[in-house]
Amino acid sequence: GVVILTNTSNAGSAMFRAVSNTIVDSYLGLADFGWVKKYKAYLKESINLGDAITNEVWETVKKNKNTPINEDVYIGVYEDSWFGKVEVFKKGTQLWIKSHRSPKLNGAMHFFQANTFAVKWEYQDMNADAFAMFTLDENGKAVKMKLKGISPNIDFSFDFQDLNLKRIK
């Protein structure tokens, strides 16, 4: 057996598959199958697909820029029992979201469609722009918010889908 231990994102799985397959093939005396090149091409294709999806989202945001929305419906403080408080507020003329516990998760919210906004975090060293999706009550006021990474290539450590943000204010 071959064991390869890594501390990497999902994209890194191509690397350890290429390495393990190459080792196994070599051990079995098989010809070089070009695993590294194959997985590199696969990874590049995956990145390009993720970029295309992300670009499409931001194009939709551009098209919907002038859609009238009642921002007051979304403004408030939301809380997840593990992650803590997240605030949606007005900064100038723009809706913003700010995590009280994770200061890098602070950024502008751009209307996407329905009750969903695309969030562009101020800290752009991470590929983690996200959707903020709101659930409204019978009066049309936001009572819950879920986050979801925009790109399918978002780093696995952003567990946005695990947050259950409920409005507290």
Side-chain angles (χ1 to χ4, degrees):
V2 174
V3 176
I4 297 177
L5 304 174
T6 65
N7 183 13
T8 185
S9 68
N10 293 342
S13 67
M15 181 272 308
F16 63 76
R17 284 187 187 133
V19 170
S20 64
N21 288 344
T22 301
I23 291 169
V24 169
D25 286 357
S26 175
Y27 179 75
L28 295 174
L30 302 174
D32 182 9
F33 190 67
W35 289 110
V36 172
K37 283 184 183 177
K38 287 182 187 322
Y39 278 112
K40 183 179 178 184
Y42 165 78
L43 184 57
K44 186 175 181 179
E45 183 180 322
S46 176
I47 289 168
N48 289 341
L49 175 64
D51 290 347
I53 290 169
T54 302
N55 291 339
E56 191 175 306
V57 166
W58 291 110
E59 283 301 315
T60 301
V61 165
K62 261 190 225 175
K63 284 185 224 167
N64 293 337
K65 186 176 184 174
N66 295 319
T67 302
I69 57 166
N70 181 358
E71 296 172 335
D72 293 336
V73 166
Y74 307 103
I75 293 173
V77 178
Y78 301 79
E79 186 172 42
D80 175 79
S81 57
W82 173 81
F83 190 67
K85 294 178 183 172
V86 172
E87 187 175 354
V88 174
F89 61 98
K90 203 72 183 258
K91 184 175 180 181
T93 61
Q94 180 76 48
L95 271 182
W96 273 68
I97 186 170
K98 173 177 86 172
S99 165
H100 289 222
R101 206 176 264 171
S102 186
K104 290 182 179 177
L105 296 180
N106 175 40
M109 297 176 67
H110 305 273
F111 179 72
F112 176 64
Q113 59 190 14
N115 294 316
T116 302
F117 293 79
V119 179
K120 174 76 72 181
W121 304 115
E122 276 189 311
Y123 183 74
Q124 281 293 298
D125 284 352
M126 53 191 181
N127 176 22
D129 289 343
F131 287 119
M133 303 165 293
F134 292 88
T135 302
L136 307 183
D137 66 10
E138 68 280 359
N139 297 313
K141 188 163 184 152
V143 292
K144 290 183 183 178
M145 177 176 35
K146 296 291 272 176
L147 296 174
K148 174 185 172 190
I150 292 174
S151 172
N153 297 329
I154 192 168
D155 187 290
F156 73 98
S157 62
F158 290 100
D159 295 332
F160 292 136
Q161 71 280 357
D162 294 335
L163 299 179
N164 186 23
L165 295 155
K166 294 178 183 171
R167 186 186 204 118
I168 59 171
K169 284 187 186 176

